[in-house]
Amino acid sequence: MGITSSVGLATGLNVDDIVSKLMSAEQQPAVLLQQKSTKLSTQLSAFGQIKSVMSSLQDATTALGSADKYAAMSARVSDSSALSATSSTSALAGSYNVKVLNLAQGQRVASNSGVASSVAAGTLTIQLGTYSTDSNNVTTFSAASTAATPINFTGSTLTELRDSINAAKTGVTASIVNDGTSDRLVLASDGVGGATGFQISGTDGLSGLSYDASTAASSNSFSSLQSAQDSKIEVQGLTITRSSNTVENAIPGVTLNLTAKTTTDPVVVTVSKDNSQATTAVQNLVKAYNGMISTMNAMTSYNKDSNQASVLTGDASIASMRNLARGALTQSVKLSDGSSMRFSDMGVTLQKDGTLAVDTTKLNKALTEQPARVAEFLAGNSSTTGLSKLASKTLDSINGTNGSLAGKTKGLQSSIDSIGKQLDSWNTRLTAIEARYRAQFTALETTISSMQSTQTYLTQQLAALPGFSS
């Protein structure tokens, strides 16, 4: 018969407690394997953190390879309400006086009152071109090379005409505005500049719609709201016109974005060397490197007071990676003029604790006085392999696809997977062992119970014998 409680009825043994203690002893190898797996997983996580900070260092090192950072120029304006300015690396340092005489704009006209009621099926033709006025104040229209666009209109309302004009995509956009008395059809150039002017002529049901700025106003069914014109500026007293409000290279290497006409005083545009991009790139590198050092130190430290080791204490590979990274960033680079340069020449030095520090004054001086030399040292050129590329190659040997970190993590993961398989095997075995123990105790209980039954039977038989006395 089976054991139905944790205490055997025949033996009085606490089977569950005995089996639990026996299994505790049997489980010791599996416990040790689990402890080893946990330790390896913790180490794998630690190497994951090192990989993360190493990736940040790689990114910061790669960022040093952009030569434009070291030749960057900035452009500042004295009045940002009139214009803004951006500069390229080809800009020349200096101050420039700029006046905004005109902003580039497109043409805009509005239909006269009463036009809405005379709209019917017909053809409306829009021709793009340029209006010009000579010294005698005579205005003429020069058609653009693009042919006039005829719009075949079959509707009868101003709204339908607006939609037909917009669907034709003539370079002119139509809208309807109510002036408080009647609806007005407003036509406006899609772009800006003197070449965005236009003429309008209609036939049949639209014969009453026309506009030509070079003719008498009385012959037009539209009124001018704004004439098309180019932008016009003065730079150092020289007049310059452009077809847009973005003016490039009026000041060499500088783009001016015009926003409003100046009134009296010119806007002063100051172009100067901009070290901010290069300074940020160097500071980001130092920050990333120090982050790597801090993480590695935390993973390998040993607390003498508490006798406590860290997760990677004693792992020689960490010291090797740290030494490689330090050597990669503090190495000397031979330049094309035969001289050599290293980070310390521009204010980045190694400290006693293994971190890097930046002397911003020395860094700014190097960037200002030797931009080409710094650019060659960090970014390289056709004849020099810069520090960015040299260091990146070394860092890739640590953190690349086939780098030492990848090998380390692959080995740890392999060990963890192997232990997992061993644990699965052990768990299967332990289940069988526990079943065997319980079967043995069940057999023991059955045997004892049987013996007890026999004893009871014999006692009863003996008691029935004549003359038997207890």
Side-chain angles (χ1 to χ4, degrees):
M1 67 181 180
I3 300 173
T4 58
S5 78
S6 62
V7 178
L9 296 177
T11 63
L13 298 174
N14 189 331
V15 175
D16 283 346
D17 183 57
I18 294 171
V19 171
S20 176
K21 290 177 179 177
L22 287 170
M23 290 307 299
S24 179
E26 294 285 357
Q27 288 170 352
Q28 283 307 302
V31 170
L32 293 175
L33 281 173
Q34 185 59 61
Q35 290 174 345
K36 185 176 181 180
S37 178
T38 300
K39 182 178 180 180
L40 291 174
S41 295
T42 303
Q43 291 177 343
L44 183 63
S45 176
F47 275 109
Q49 294 181 55
I50 291 175
K51 180 176 180 61
S52 177
V53 294
M54 187 65 73
S55 294
S56 296
L57 179 58
Q58 284 182 293
D59 291 342
T61 302
T62 300
L64 292 176
S66 174
D68 286 350
K69 286 184 174 69
Y70 314 108
M73 303 293 288
S74 66
R76 303 187 310 275
V77 298
S78 60
D79 182 3
S80 58
S81 65
L83 59 90
S84 62
T86 56
S87 59
S88 67
T89 56
S90 63
L92 300 176
S95 293
Y96 305 84
N97 292 330
V98 179
K99 283 186 177 182
V100 182
L101 305 179
N102 286 319
L103 291 177
Q105 61 187 28
Q107 183 173 315
R108 188 182 302 119
V109 299
S111 63
N112 297 327
S113 300
V115 166
S117 61
S118 63
V119 171
T123 301
L124 189 72
T125 301
I126 298 176
Q127 174 65 60
L128 296 178
T130 304
Y131 287 100
S132 58
T133 303
D134 61 19
S135 58
N136 295 318
N137 207 31
V138 176
T139 300
T140 57
F141 180 78
S142 299
S145 57
T146 304
T149 304
I151 300 169
N152 297 316
F153 179 64
T154 58
S156 60
T157 67
L158 205 61
T159 299
E160 291 173 320
L161 179 58
R162 175 200 63 191
D163 295 342
S164 294
I165 293 171
N166 291 338
K169 299 187 182 304
T170 63
V172 173
T173 297
S175 60
I176 295 175
V177 177
N178 188 287
D179 63 2
T181 303
S182 62
D183 287 338
R184 310 274 294 277
L185 181 67
V186 178
L187 301 181
S189 306
D190 290 341
V192 297
T196 62
F198 53 85
Q199 284 181 333
I200 308 169
S201 61
T203 61
D204 298 329
L206 300 177
S207 59
L209 296 183
S210 63
Y211 182 81
D212 185 343
S214 63
T215 63
S218 59
S219 65
N220 292 324
S221 48
F222 288 86
S223 299
S224 176
L225 300 178
Q226 177 176 286
S227 299
Q229 65 182 23
D230 290 332
S231 62
K232 183 185 293 186
I233 63 174
E234 280 187 5
V235 178
Q236 303 293 73
L238 180 65
T239 302
I240 298 170
T241 61
R242 292 287 192 274
S243 61
S244 76
N245 290 314
T246 300
V247 181
E248 297 180 344
N249 293 320
I251 300 172
V254 176
T255 298
L256 303 175
N257 296 291
L258 313 180
T259 52
K261 293 173 66 173
T262 52
T263 53
T264 53
D265 296 331
V267 177
V268 179
V269 179
T270 304
V271 181
S272 60
K273 184 76 171 64
D274 179 14
N275 293 334
S276 61
Q277 295 181 48
T279 298
T280 297
V282 172
Q283 289 175 332
N284 286 344
L285 175 80
V286 170
K287 181 180 179 181
Y289 179 84
N290 290 346
M292 180 202 71
I293 294 297
S294 176
T295 299
M296 287 183 169
N297 288 345
M299 297 298 177
T300 58
S301 64
Y302 181 81
N303 190 319
K304 294 181 180 179
D305 296 332
S306 62
N307 229 6
Q308 185 69 40
S310 296
V311 61
L312 297 179
T313 300
D315 192 316
S317 67
I318 304 300
S320 176
M321 295 176 196
R322 183 168 48 220
N323 292 338
L324 280 172
R326 180 176 63 241
L329 295 173
T330 58
Q331 66 182 300
S332 174
V333 175
K334 188 173 182 180
L335 306 182
S336 55
D337 63 2
S339 65
S340 295
M341 189 173 184
R342 59 179 68 238
F343 246 143
S344 57
D345 296 327
M346 47 189 296
V348 180
T349 54
L350 191 66
Q351 307 300 291
K352 291 182 179 179
D353 62 358
T355 62
L356 293 175
V358 183
D359 182 336
T360 54
T361 300
K362 190 172 182 179
L363 174 60
N364 190 63
K365 182 178 180 181
L367 291 170
T368 301
E369 298 179 359
Q370 307 177 68
R373 184 175 168 83
V374 170
E376 183 179 358
F377 164 60
L378 293 175
N381 55 31
S382 58
S383 59
T384 301
T385 302
L387 182 70
S388 172
K389 191 170 184 178
L390 291 172
S392 292
K393 185 177 181 180
T394 299
L395 295 177
D396 192 60
S397 73
I398 300 172
N399 201 36
T401 304
N402 299 312
S404 52
L405 264 176
K408 197 73 178 179
T409 54
K410 183 179 180 180
L412 287 170
Q413 188 61 60
S414 178
S415 297
I416 292 170
D417 293 343
S418 176
I419 291 174
K421 292 178 181 179
Q422 293 179 61
L423 283 171
D424 289 342
S425 177
W426 263 104
N427 288 332
T428 301
R429 180 181 176 186
L430 288 171
T431 299
I433 290 173
E434 181 176 1
R436 187 177 75 244
Y437 278 142
R438 290 190 178 278
Q440 289 173 343
F441 277 104
T442 297
L444 175 63
E445 183 71 18
T446 300
T447 301
I448 296 299
S449 179
S450 177
M451 292 175 66
Q452 288 175 340
S453 296
T454 301
Q455 180 185 18
T456 299
Y457 171 76
L458 290 174
T459 299
Q460 292 173 345
Q461 292 300 312
L462 288 172
L465 293 175
F468 179 79
S469 172
S470 60

